[in-house]
Amino acid sequence: MKSLELTTVARRLWPTRALVLLLAIGFFDLIVTAVLHANGMITELNPLMKPLLEQGEWLFAIVKSFTLIVAWIAMASYAKQNLEFVRKVCLAGSGVYVLLWCGWFFLA
């Protein structure tokens, strides 16, 4: 009985592996960006996040974490109505995220 309850809770929190992938990429980006910036190895190219990172890595990490958590809550909630849409959006978002990150990281 408890196993079924845990599975149900887990499915509500993580309705699709694509959402896990998107959030993993987001948090990986957060960590890598903060560490590299703290060591003076990069500057932030994202015009929305650059002012936050220039104020400090902790502020950047808090704001970026907040946006990722809000996105997770919104997508997990909407997945109850349209799971396939959430899956596709998360996969597309993951692809775009990686392309942008690689483009900024390797071409800048």
Side-chain angles (χ1 to χ4, degrees):
M1 183 81 166
K2 289 206 179 226
S3 177
L4 182 60
E5 290 173 7
L6 287 175
T7 302
T8 303
V9 169
R11 183 54 71 182
R12 280 190 212 142
L13 294 174
W14 307 106
T16 175
R17 290 178 295 207
L19 179 55
V20 176
L21 174 65
L22 181 61
L23 292 175
I25 292 168
F27 279 106
F28 175 77
D29 173 47
L30 183 159
I31 292 165
V32 169
T33 300
V35 169
L36 292 178
H37 184 268
N39 290 307
M41 299 172 74
I42 64 165
T43 58
E44 178 63 48
L45 295 176
N46 180 338
L48 297 174
M49 298 304 281
K50 185 175 184 169
L52 296 171
L53 190 56
E54 289 173 350
Q55 292 293 315
E57 288 81 17
W58 282 107
L59 177 62
F60 168 80
I62 290 166
V63 171
K64 181 139 184 161
S65 295
F66 178 74
T67 62
L68 290 168
I69 290 166
V70 168
W72 166 53
I73 291 168
M75 287 185 273
S77 296
Y78 189 67
K80 295 172 194 169
Q81 296 172 16
N82 194 340
L83 179 63
E84 190 60 23
F85 175 79
V86 170
R87 187 183 72 75
K88 288 178 181 177
V89 166
C90 288
L91 288 174
S94 295
V96 169
Y97 207 135
V98 169
L99 286 174
L100 284 173
W101 194 86
C102 289
W104 280 344
F105 190 78
F106 293 114
L107 300 175

